[in-house]
Amino acid sequence: RHRQNLLDRGMSEESIKKYRLRSVPTTFGGAIVKKISEQTGITDFSGVAGFYFDEQTLEWSMTFQKYHKDILIPYYDYDGNITSFQIRLDTPLSSKNDKPTRYISFSSVYRNKGTSASSTPCYLHGTKRNNILYVTEGGLKAMVAQSMTGWSFVALQGVANQKGLEELLGRFQGNIVY
């Protein structure tokens, strides 16, 4: 269902793979953390958004909920490293001002040894018109646009979240920003 949603937006199979877009895992977070630990040797996830220490199992876990069946959207820095995740909810949540919320950050801020997600910009390096950078709101929107045009994009997680944008723009080698 999520793959078809992305294809219907204009993304290609190659772009879905390139951006590592996935459905939120339906397995419990502890199993995923164990697999990450086995593959990387990392055993302490303190300070990593979305991870927390479960006092009942005495193991690290992730804040994926079994009822979430949504799209996991990675945010990339200028060097191509994943810095955070945003989740596109299939079913919007009600927010404080009664406007439905479709996107949430992957965060564990209210959990034991958890932390908040950083709302850093998502940089997508294009293959065409490399002297021009387009700034938009929303990582998925930027991924669709970059997939369709080949241009470079920066996406913010909401128009008010501009932390890190100035630094990223300073690293951009082009001379035109829209």
Side-chain angles (χ1 to χ4, degrees):
R1 177 178 90 232
H2 293 142
R3 180 174 301 285
Q4 190 59 51
N5 178 300
L6 296 169
L7 293 170
D8 290 347
R9 290 171 183 268
M11 293 193 82
S12 65
E13 291 282 351
E14 296 79 28
S15 292
I16 294 169
K17 289 177 187 173
K18 172 184 171 183
Y19 298 123
R20 302 178 190 158
L21 294 165
R22 303 284 190 275
S23 296
V24 170
T26 56
T27 58
F28 290 104
I32 298 169
V33 174
K34 283 181 185 176
K35 189 172 183 178
I36 293 170
S37 291
E38 289 168 4
Q39 292 178 354
T40 65
I42 297 170
T43 57
D44 184 355
F45 294 88
S46 299
V48 180
F51 289 72
Y52 68 97
F53 191 77
D54 188 328
E55 293 178 321
Q56 292 180 343
T57 63
L58 299 177
E59 295 177 340
W60 284 94
S61 190
M62 299 170 83
T63 57
F64 293 130
Q65 303 295 323
K66 62 183 176 183
Y67 52 86
H68 280 165
K69 294 179 176 54
D70 312 298
I71 300 174
L72 188 63
I73 305 164
Y75 269 60
Y76 297 94
D77 66 12
Y78 192 82
D79 298 316
N81 301 308
I82 296 174
T83 58
S84 63
F85 289 97
Q86 196 174 46
I87 299 172
R88 182 189 184 278
L89 302 171
D90 290 347
T91 304
L93 296 173
S94 294
S95 64
K96 295 175 188 171
N97 58 5
D98 291 328
K99 291 183 180 179
T101 299
R102 177 69 73 178
Y103 292 88
I104 60 172
S105 294
F106 180 55
S107 171
S108 53
V109 67
Y110 298 112
R111 301 285 187 109
N112 184 37
K113 297 186 182 179
T115 190
S116 63
S118 64
S119 54
T120 56
C122 178
Y123 177 75
L124 306 171
H125 181 73
T127 56
K128 298 177 183 171
R129 298 174 74 175
N130 287 330
N131 66 321
I132 301 173
L133 180 66
Y134 295 86
V135 180
T136 189
E137 187 271 332
L140 185 57
K141 183 188 306 174
M143 289 173 187
V144 170
Q146 203 278 333
S147 173
M148 295 174 78
T149 64
W151 303 341
S152 296
F153 280 85
V154 169
L156 305 174
Q157 291 185 33
V159 294
N161 293 317
Q162 296 181 20
K163 181 181 175 187
L165 179 60
E166 187 174 339
E167 178 185 339
L168 192 146
L169 293 175
R171 292 187 68 188
F172 178 63
Q173 300 297 312
N175 55 4
I176 302 172
V177 177
Y178 288 107

